[in-house]
Amino acid sequence: MGDIILKTKQLTKKYGKNFAVNNVDLELKQGDIYGLVGKNGAGKTTILRMISGLSIPTSGELELFNETSKAGLNNSRARIGCIIETPSFFKYLSAKKNLEYYRLQRGVVEKECVDEALKMVGLEDVGKKKIKNFSMGMKQRLGLALAIMINPDLLVLDEPTNGIDPTGIVELRELLLKLNREKNTTIIISSHILSELSQLANTYGFINNGEFIEQISAKNLEEKCKRHLLIKVDDTSKATVIIENKLECMEYEVVNKNEIRLYQHIDTPEIVSEVLINNGIKLFSMNNSGVNLEEYFVDLMGGNNHD
């Protein structure tokens, strides 16, 4: 991946005495698709609003495209396309006329960018249909068209799949991947549909009650979530020798003095237990383990009983 294009240090936003965001350190590299994960009210939208300039931080530092000054940040935000909450449009105008208005307002010279953006989000055939007659999903698509119309270097997307049907969600995913791969567009996206996010993001930031819990690459997360046999024994040193020599397995990890993660024989644990026991290992337990993104998130937040 490329250089760091977005960095925050102890970024904080307070409303009265309450912290919406508290001391968040975040890094986003050029070419990343960064998944911002958290429950409703965790602070995701507030972070994205501060990045895009819609909200002013109470304290902390924000660096965007190597700019930190107020003027520098304002100039850098011209390189951002964003959907924060529901985009505002003129409800008695068509999709094309709405985008034409914003094209002129932003000083974009290339007229063809409007038709190109509408085509990319699947709204090229809506004709003169007024925005007031659009479904929520169509409005979300138009919001994305507005965001990508300027060919941004950074896309900031807050729950962009809201109101979009399953087919539309797949199309949105494919569009974002296309922008990322073909135009090297960097994306930071929040979503409550974690199964979709897992097919997009290469980096995750987990936030709870306004505070960052963890920032992790998709590769490292995959390793943590990888399916395995969690084996509890009396002697891991002796057990690993047997695993290597008798089972001919090298894909394992010693967790502590009593636990081993075995990444082979996942579907044949009976073979593993038989070999270990027959070679003098006291086997206390063996469980098929490994989680998906949703389960990892729940565990990170403290389990199902965490409010």
Side-chain angles (χ1 to χ4, degrees), residues 2 12 16 42 48 58 67 78 85 115-116 120-121 131 148 150 179 193 196 222 276 289 293:
T12 299
L48 298 183
T58 304
E67 297 286 352
E85 297 163 345
D115 289 330
E116 288 175 359
M120 289 189 78
V121 300
I131 300 301
I148 66 176
I150 61 171
L179 289 170
I193 305 177
E196 271 302 315
E222 183 180 348
L276 290 174
S289 192
L293 181 57

Short mmCIF file of all heavy atoms in Angstrom, two decimals, residues 2 12 16 42 48 58 67 78 85 115-116 120-121 131 148 150 179 193 196 222 276 289 293:
data_model
loop_
_atom_site.label_atom_id
_atom_site.label_comp_id
_atom_site.label_asym_id
_atom_site.label_seq_id
_atom_site.Cartn_x
_atom_site.Cartn_y
_atom_site.Cartn_z
N GLY A 2 0.25 2.40 -0.22
CA GLY A 2 0.99 3.63 -0.42
C GLY A 2 1.22 4.41 0.85
O GLY A 2 1.21 3.89 1.97
N THR A 12 -10.67 14.08 19.26
CA THR A 12 -11.72 14.07 20.28
C THR A 12 -12.84 15.03 19.90
O THR A 12 -12.60 16.13 19.39
CB THR A 12 -11.14 14.49 21.65
OG1 THR A 12 -10.12 13.55 22.03
CG2 THR A 12 -12.21 14.53 22.72
N GLY A 16 -21.06 18.98 25.15
CA GLY A 16 -21.24 19.22 26.57
C GLY A 16 -20.18 18.46 27.35
O GLY A 16 -18.98 18.61 27.09
N ALA A 42 -21.62 4.51 18.43
CA ALA A 42 -20.25 4.28 18.88
C ALA A 42 -19.32 5.44 18.57
O ALA A 42 -18.27 5.59 19.19
CB ALA A 42 -19.70 3.00 18.27
N LEU A 48 -16.22 10.37 10.83
CA LEU A 48 -16.29 10.66 9.40
C LEU A 48 -16.67 12.12 9.16
O LEU A 48 -16.20 12.73 8.19
CB LEU A 48 -17.29 9.72 8.73
CG LEU A 48 -16.94 8.22 8.81
CD1 LEU A 48 -17.97 7.40 8.03
CD2 LEU A 48 -15.54 7.94 8.29
N THR A 58 -13.03 18.83 18.99
CA THR A 58 -12.84 19.56 20.23
C THR A 58 -11.36 19.67 20.55
O THR A 58 -10.88 20.70 21.02
CB THR A 58 -13.57 18.84 21.40
OG1 THR A 58 -14.96 18.71 21.06
CG2 THR A 58 -13.45 19.63 22.69
N GLU A 67 -1.58 17.70 5.10
CA GLU A 67 -1.97 19.05 5.54
C GLU A 67 -2.58 18.98 6.94
O GLU A 67 -3.37 18.07 7.24
CB GLU A 67 -2.98 19.67 4.58
CG GLU A 67 -2.45 19.90 3.16
CD GLU A 67 -1.49 21.07 3.07
OE1 GLU A 67 -1.34 21.81 4.07
OE2 GLU A 67 -0.88 21.27 2.01
N ALA A 78 -11.09 19.15 -0.94
CA ALA A 78 -11.56 19.20 -2.32
C ALA A 78 -11.27 17.89 -3.04
O ALA A 78 -11.85 17.60 -4.10
CB ALA A 78 -10.90 20.35 -3.06
N GLU A 85 -24.59 10.40 6.28
CA GLU A 85 -26.02 10.37 6.51
C GLU A 85 -26.74 10.47 5.16
O GLU A 85 -26.20 10.06 4.14
CB GLU A 85 -26.41 11.48 7.50
CG GLU A 85 -25.76 11.27 8.88
CD GLU A 85 -25.77 12.49 9.75
OE1 GLU A 85 -26.01 13.61 9.26
OE2 GLU A 85 -25.54 12.32 10.96
N ASP A 115 -23.05 12.26 -16.44
CA ASP A 115 -23.57 11.04 -17.05
C ASP A 115 -22.74 9.82 -16.66
O ASP A 115 -23.29 8.73 -16.44
CB ASP A 115 -23.59 11.18 -18.58
CG ASP A 115 -24.67 12.14 -19.05
OD1 ASP A 115 -25.71 12.26 -18.37
OD2 ASP A 115 -24.47 12.80 -20.10
N GLU A 116 -21.43 10.01 -16.56
CA GLU A 116 -20.56 8.89 -16.18
C GLU A 116 -20.87 8.42 -14.76
O GLU A 116 -20.94 7.21 -14.50
CB GLU A 116 -19.09 9.32 -16.28
CG GLU A 116 -18.61 9.49 -17.72
CD GLU A 116 -17.19 10.02 -17.79
OE1 GLU A 116 -16.61 10.28 -16.71
OE2 GLU A 116 -16.67 10.20 -18.91
N MET A 120 -22.40 4.77 -13.57
CA MET A 120 -21.64 3.91 -12.66
C MET A 120 -22.51 3.39 -11.51
O MET A 120 -22.31 2.28 -11.03
CB MET A 120 -20.43 4.65 -12.10
CG MET A 120 -19.33 4.88 -13.13
SD MET A 120 -17.81 5.54 -12.40
CE MET A 120 -17.11 4.07 -11.68
N VAL A 121 -23.49 4.19 -11.09
CA VAL A 121 -24.34 3.77 -9.96
C VAL A 121 -25.68 3.20 -10.42
O VAL A 121 -26.55 2.90 -9.61
CB VAL A 121 -24.58 4.93 -8.97
CG1 VAL A 121 -23.26 5.42 -8.41
CG2 VAL A 121 -25.37 6.07 -9.61
N ILE A 131 -36.62 13.67 -7.73
CA ILE A 131 -36.03 13.06 -6.54
C ILE A 131 -37.10 12.71 -5.51
O ILE A 131 -36.99 11.72 -4.78
CB ILE A 131 -34.98 13.99 -5.91
CG1 ILE A 131 -33.86 14.27 -6.91
CG2 ILE A 131 -34.40 13.37 -4.64
CD1 ILE A 131 -33.14 13.06 -7.40
N ILE A 148 -18.68 10.40 -6.21
CA ILE A 148 -17.63 9.97 -7.15
C ILE A 148 -17.54 10.85 -8.38
O ILE A 148 -16.62 10.68 -9.19
CB ILE A 148 -17.83 8.50 -7.57
CG1 ILE A 148 -19.11 8.34 -8.40
CG2 ILE A 148 -17.86 7.59 -6.36
CD1 ILE A 148 -19.32 6.92 -8.92
N ILE A 150 -16.57 13.79 -8.81
CA ILE A 150 -15.35 14.60 -8.89
C ILE A 150 -14.09 13.75 -9.01
O ILE A 150 -12.98 14.26 -8.93
CB ILE A 150 -15.24 15.53 -7.67
CG1 ILE A 150 -15.17 14.70 -6.38
CG2 ILE A 150 -16.40 16.52 -7.63
CD1 ILE A 150 -14.83 15.52 -5.14
N LEU A 179 -13.45 1.01 -8.32
CA LEU A 179 -12.83 2.32 -8.09
C LEU A 179 -11.49 2.17 -7.39
O LEU A 179 -10.51 2.85 -7.71
CB LEU A 179 -13.76 3.19 -7.23
CG LEU A 179 -15.03 3.72 -7.92
CD1 LEU A 179 -15.96 4.35 -6.87
CD2 LEU A 179 -14.69 4.74 -8.99
N ILE A 193 -23.42 -3.95 8.11
CA ILE A 193 -23.48 -5.26 7.44
C ILE A 193 -22.05 -5.78 7.35
O ILE A 193 -21.34 -5.57 6.35
CB ILE A 193 -24.13 -5.15 6.05
CG1 ILE A 193 -25.51 -4.50 6.15
CG2 ILE A 193 -24.25 -6.54 5.42
CD1 ILE A 193 -26.20 -4.30 4.82
N GLU A 196 -20.68 -7.93 4.45
CA GLU A 196 -20.33 -7.18 3.25
C GLU A 196 -18.99 -6.48 3.43
O GLU A 196 -18.15 -6.46 2.53
CB GLU A 196 -21.41 -6.15 2.91
CG GLU A 196 -22.51 -6.66 2.03
CD GLU A 196 -22.00 -7.20 0.70
OE1 GLU A 196 -21.15 -6.53 0.06
OE2 GLU A 196 -22.41 -8.28 0.30
N GLU A 222 -7.68 -12.16 9.63
CA GLU A 222 -7.95 -13.49 9.08
C GLU A 222 -7.19 -14.56 9.85
O GLU A 222 -7.70 -15.65 10.12
CB GLU A 222 -7.57 -13.54 7.60
CG GLU A 222 -7.89 -14.85 6.92
CD GLU A 222 -7.51 -14.87 5.44
OE1 GLU A 222 -7.21 -13.79 4.89
OE2 GLU A 222 -7.50 -15.96 4.85
N LEU A 276 -2.56 -38.35 19.90
CA LEU A 276 -2.02 -37.71 21.11
C LEU A 276 -2.14 -38.63 22.32
O LEU A 276 -1.18 -38.83 23.07
CB LEU A 276 -2.75 -36.39 21.37
CG LEU A 276 -2.46 -35.24 20.40
CD1 LEU A 276 -3.35 -34.04 20.71
CD2 LEU A 276 -0.98 -34.82 20.45
N SER A 289 -12.58 -24.31 16.50
CA SER A 289 -12.68 -22.89 16.80
C SER A 289 -12.44 -22.06 15.55
O SER A 289 -12.22 -22.58 14.46
CB SER A 289 -11.67 -22.53 17.90
OG SER A 289 -11.92 -21.24 18.40
N LEU A 293 -16.26 -12.24 11.08
CA LEU A 293 -16.09 -10.85 11.51
C LEU A 293 -17.12 -10.45 12.56
O LEU A 293 -16.79 -9.77 13.54
CB LEU A 293 -16.18 -9.91 10.30
CG LEU A 293 -15.99 -8.41 10.56
CD1 LEU A 293 -14.65 -8.14 11.24
CD2 LEU A 293 -16.11 -7.62 9.27
#
